[in-house]
Amino acid sequence: RPRALSGIQPTAGSFHLGNYLGAIRQYVALQETHDAFYMVVDLHAITVPQNPMELRANTRIAAAQLLAAGLDPERCTLFIQSHVPEHAQLAWVMNCLTGFGEASRMTQFKDKSAKQGADRTTVGLFTYPILQVADILLYQADSVPVGEDQRQHVELTRDIAERFNGTYGDTFTVPSAHIVRETAKIYDLQDPTAKMSKSASTAKGLINLLDEPKVSAKKIKSAVTDTDTVIRFDPEHKPGVSNLLTIYSTLTGTGIPELEEKYQGKGYGALKTDLAEVMVEWVTPFRARTQEYLDDPETLDAVLAKGAEKARAVAAETLAQAYDKVGFLPAK
Ligand code: ATP
Ligand code: MG
């Protein structure tokens, strides 16, 4: 079986709709066809200011949501990044293979650091994509399910894997991004040209999966659309409506042409009211399942302990090979 690997940050507690549609749905699908490894990336979460108590709580909440979304610990390996020290250990080697200019070209770093200002931007945020390189290569992943915003980081991973293999001899599988076009970028409900984001969206623009369903319904009803009233999928000219159609279509499995047909001659209000209903029906059981996992922390921690053990077995073997290739003297 080919390998899949992906990670998601525990910042903010709740995942948002973009995380689910762009990434987590693909995690669930790939556990059927791949030897899949999924992790909560707490090392990545400390690249920006954070609160230790919240991080610990949010890490469990993240794992509970992944299980509630359909990850099955019998069919995939679910773990917490910091439980596998090999991530940080391989990242150092990858730091030493990455050009400063190359890392400086990462657009996500440029955007995030521009917002924070240079003095508040950590070196950790700068090397974040390089830790991600190590995350992926440790598992010899063939496929990396992510949203569009991560494409550049997976490209970097491919470049570094090829560079390592060329310099030190064949060691790493060169991975490919697994990006599902239709849902690769879910947009902010208030600014439908910007990606829905944990760190950048305003509260009104963001659907948090763990919010009260009523709150999410209200956000959908007040989503920004346009002044014309035709319901048509046209991301370029009608980004707000198109975003709502994408969400509606993916959550219900209804094709977009079918939806366009259904809402012909009806206003945006009808579309929004129905989508709000769809949203409520989806998040209600999701929240309940998440809460069930959180109510039983022993079971949750046992799942994560088993996941860490399985992940470490793979990661330790890859790290040993890489350290050997680099020329580190083995510890006796
Ligand atoms: P931040 O804004 O802090 O980077 P985020 O919202 O991007 O947070 P991450 O944990 O960085 O969340 O991303 C987890 C996964 O969700 C990644 O694979 C990412 O590509 C995907 N993703 C994030 N936002 C969206 C979106 N709006 N549409 C589709 N996929 C998304
Ligand atoms: Mg992100």
Side-chain angles (χ1 to χ4, degrees), residues 6-11 15-24 27 41 48 108 112 128 145-151 183-188 194-201 206:
S6 200
I8 187 158
Q9 298 195 69
T11 35
F15 293 150
H16 60 72
L17 192 58
N19 295 141
Y20 175 68
L21 297 179
I24 300 167
Y27 301 178
V41 292
V48 292
Q108 208 162 82
K112 288 188 180 181
Y128 177 126
V146 285
E148 180 61 41
D149 62 313
Q150 291 296 327
R151 187 185 293 279
T183 51
K185 191 170 178 183
I186 300 299
Y187 295 88
D188 184 303
K195 128 182 153 81
M196 189 179 283
S197 150
K198 287 189 186 118
S199 59
S201 289
L206 184 68

Side-chain angles (χ1 to χ4, degrees), residues 57-93:
N58 286 342
T59 299
R60 275 214 188 92
I61 294 171
Q65 288 175 92
L66 289 171
L67 293 166
L71 291 191
D72 175 357
E74 300 296 320
R75 283 182 295 166
C76 72
T77 303
L78 173 64
F79 64 102
I80 308 297
Q81 187 184 28
S82 67
H83 292 177
V84 181
E86 285 80 2
H87 290 262
Q89 292 175 295
L90 185 64
W92 179 253
V93 174

Side-chain angles (χ1 to χ4, degrees), residues 29 124 187 192 244 251 264 307 323:
Y187 295 88
L244 296 179
L251 286 179
Q264 212 181 33
Y323 271 26

Side-chain angles (χ1 to χ4, degrees), residues 10-319:
T11 35
S14 179
F15 293 150
H16 60 72
L17 192 58
N19 295 141
Y20 175 68
L21 297 179
I24 300 167
R25 263 173 65 94
Q26 278 58 255
Y27 301 178
V28 176
L30 290 186
Q31 38 173 22
E32 308 304 332
T33 50
H34 286 63
D35 181 18
F37 291 80
Y38 301 120
M39 58 180 173
V40 178
V41 292
D42 51 353
L43 299 182
H44 288 275
I46 67 165
T47 55
V48 292
Q50 62 95 15
N51 172 304
M53 260 166 54
E54 284 173 17
L55 178 60
R56 218 181 320 272
N58 286 342
T59 299
R60 275 214 188 92
I61 294 171
Q65 288 175 92
L66 289 171
L67 293 166
L71 291 191
D72 175 357
E74 300 296 320
R75 283 182 295 166
C76 72
T77 303
L78 173 64
F79 64 102
I80 308 297
Q81 187 184 28
S82 67
H83 292 177
V84 181
E86 285 80 2
H87 290 262
Q89 292 175 295
L90 185 64
W92 179 253
V93 174
M94 300 309 168
N95 270 316
C96 297
L97 275 175
T98 308
F100 182 79
E102 190 176 32
S104 306
R105 284 193 290 276
M106 295 296 118
T107 56
Q108 208 162 82
F109 172 76
K110 287 197 277 190
D111 293 346
K112 288 188 180 181
S113 61
K115 268 189 209 124
Q116 294 180 343
D119 287 337
R120 265 179 292 170
T121 298
T122 67
V123 174
L125 188 68
F126 182 65
T127 59
Y128 177 126
I130 306 167
L131 175 58
Q132 204 175 322
V133 169
D135 294 340
I136 297 166
L137 298 186
L138 267 180
Y139 297 90
Q140 306 286 12
D142 300 282
S143 190
V144 185
V146 285
E148 180 61 41
D149 62 313
Q150 291 296 327
R151 187 185 293 279
Q152 193 186 29
H153 292 167
V154 180
E155 277 305 314
L156 177 72
T157 307
R158 294 171 58 87
D159 291 345
I160 305 291
E162 279 165 2
R163 191 170 308 153
F164 188 105
N165 290 347
T167 308
Y168 297 118
D170 227 8
T171 309
F172 293 113
T173 302
V174 180
S176 306
H178 175 86
I179 299 176
V180 174
R181 189 175 46 81
E182 290 80 1
T183 51
K185 191 170 178 183
I186 300 299
Y187 295 88
D188 184 303
L189 296 181
Q190 289 299 315
D191 176 6
T193 58
K195 128 182 153 81
M196 189 179 283
S197 150
K198 287 189 186 118
S199 59
S201 289
T202 60
K204 280 187 79 186
L206 184 68
I207 298 281
N208 279 317
L209 303 183
L210 296 182
D211 278 354
E212 280 290 338
K214 267 188 295 191
V215 173
S216 298
K218 199 167 163 208
K219 289 181 188 176
I220 292 202
K221 287 184 190 159
S222 52
V224 165
T225 39
D226 52 47
T227 49
D228 139 70
T229 55
V230 184
I231 295 175
R232 175 166 50 88
F233 186 76
D234 180 353
E236 200 187 323
H237 301 104
K238 300 172 74 69
V241 178
S242 302
N243 192 39
L244 296 179
L245 286 170
T246 297
I247 295 169
Y248 197 152
S249 164
T250 317
L251 286 179
T252 60
T254 317
I256 286 184
E258 223 176 297
L259 291 175
E260 288 173 329
E261 178 84 14
K262 179 174 174 189
Y263 290 100
Q264 212 181 33
K266 298 189 183 146
Y268 293 157
L271 173 73
K272 288 178 180 176
T273 304
D274 290 354
L275 178 56
E277 181 68 21
V278 164
M279 198 66 231
V280 168
E281 268 166 38
W282 192 85
V283 293
T284 303
F286 174 82
R287 291 173 85 225
R289 283 195 300 273
T290 301
Q291 194 54 50
E292 277 170 35
Y293 288 108
L294 290 173
D295 286 341
D296 185 2
E298 270 109 74
T299 304
L300 183 60
D301 289 355
V303 165
L304 297 174
K306 193 158 163 245
E309 196 185 321
K310 276 162 68 189
R312 271 201 91 168
V314 176
E317 189 184 323
T318 312
L319 182 77

